[in-house]
Amino acid sequence: MTDFQTKAQRFLWRTEKQYPQPFEVQRDVSICGKSFPMTAQYEQQDKRYLLGIKSRISRENLCGEKYFFDCCETLDEQAFAEYKALFKRLQDELVPADNPAHDYTFISFVLCTANVGKGIQKKIKRTNDYRQYKYGQYGWSALRLCVVDLEAETYYCNGMGKGIWECLTREEIPQEQNKLFGLF
C-alpha cells in the first residue's frame, strides 16, 4: 500500500464515524458503472401539513441526501471533467424527480486526493448544479462537492459544499441539545 492509499483509508475510516443514523453507510458500492469505496445515504418520508393542520391538501414529503466518497491520487483537468460528467449522470439517475412527494435531494461528493492544481481549485468553487423539477412542484436537487487534499490537509468546496466541510472537520458526532422548557 502506498502512502496515499493508507491516508485515504484512514480518512474514510474516520469519516464513516461522522455519519450515524439515519445515514446508511455502505462500503465498495458500484453505481452507474463506477465503484465507490464508500457511500452514505438517507431518505426520509413523512406527512407535511398546511399550517400544522391535517387537511385534504396535505401531502407526503420526501427528502434525502446521498454521499459518494472516492479517492484519486492526482486530480487533473481530465479527471475532473470525468467526475463532472459522473456527477450529472448520478443526479439524473438517483433523484426521484417524477415523484410528486419529492421535496429535495442533495447529491454530495467527497473526493480525497494527494494533489489539487490551482486551475482545478477554481473549477471546484465554480461547480454548480441546482435543478428544479416541474417548476419546483416536484422539488429540487443540488450538487455539493468537497475535495480533500490529504497532503496539504486542505478542503476545497463549491458553494453548497460548506456543510460537507463542517461535517468532515468536526471532532465528534454532535450531541442533541436539551431544549429550555421543551420549547427553545
Side-chain angles (χ1 to χ4, degrees), residues 75-84 120 123-124 127 145:
L75 188 61
D76 56 3
E77 299 278 339
Q78 180 184 1
F80 190 70
E82 290 172 7
Y83 275 115
K84 281 183 75 170
I120 300 295
K123 286 185 178 187
I124 292 168
T127 301
L145 175 63

Side-chain angles (χ1 to χ4, degrees), residues 2 22 31 34 58-59 112 120 138 147 151 158 171-172:
T2 65
I31 299 173
K34 171 76 174 153
S58 300
R59 66 179 181 98
C112 44
I120 300 295
Y138 282 26
V147 176
E151 295 296 321
N158 70 347
E171 292 299 318
E172 59 185 45

Side-chain angles (χ1 to χ4, degrees), residues 2-14:
T2 65
D3 187 42
F4 170 72
Q5 290 174 335
T6 327
K7 285 182 180 181
Q9 287 296 330
R10 204 170 328 142
F11 172 78
L12 290 174
W13 178 78
R14 189 178 72 233

Side-chain angles (χ1 to χ4, degrees), residues 123-140:
K123 286 185 178 187
I124 292 168
K125 291 180 183 180
R126 292 182 185 147
T127 301
N128 185 15
D129 195 354
Y130 176 84
R131 301 178 188 182
Q132 286 189 342
Y133 302 101
K134 299 231 180 180
Y135 305 105
Q137 290 178 339
Y138 282 26
W140 56 273

Side-chain angles (χ1 to χ4, degrees), residues 18-32:
Q18 300 295 340
Y19 294 95
Q21 292 292 339
F23 284 95
E24 177 187 339
V25 178
Q26 296 178 335
R27 291 286 195 152
D28 298 322
V29 178
S30 182
I31 299 173
C32 294

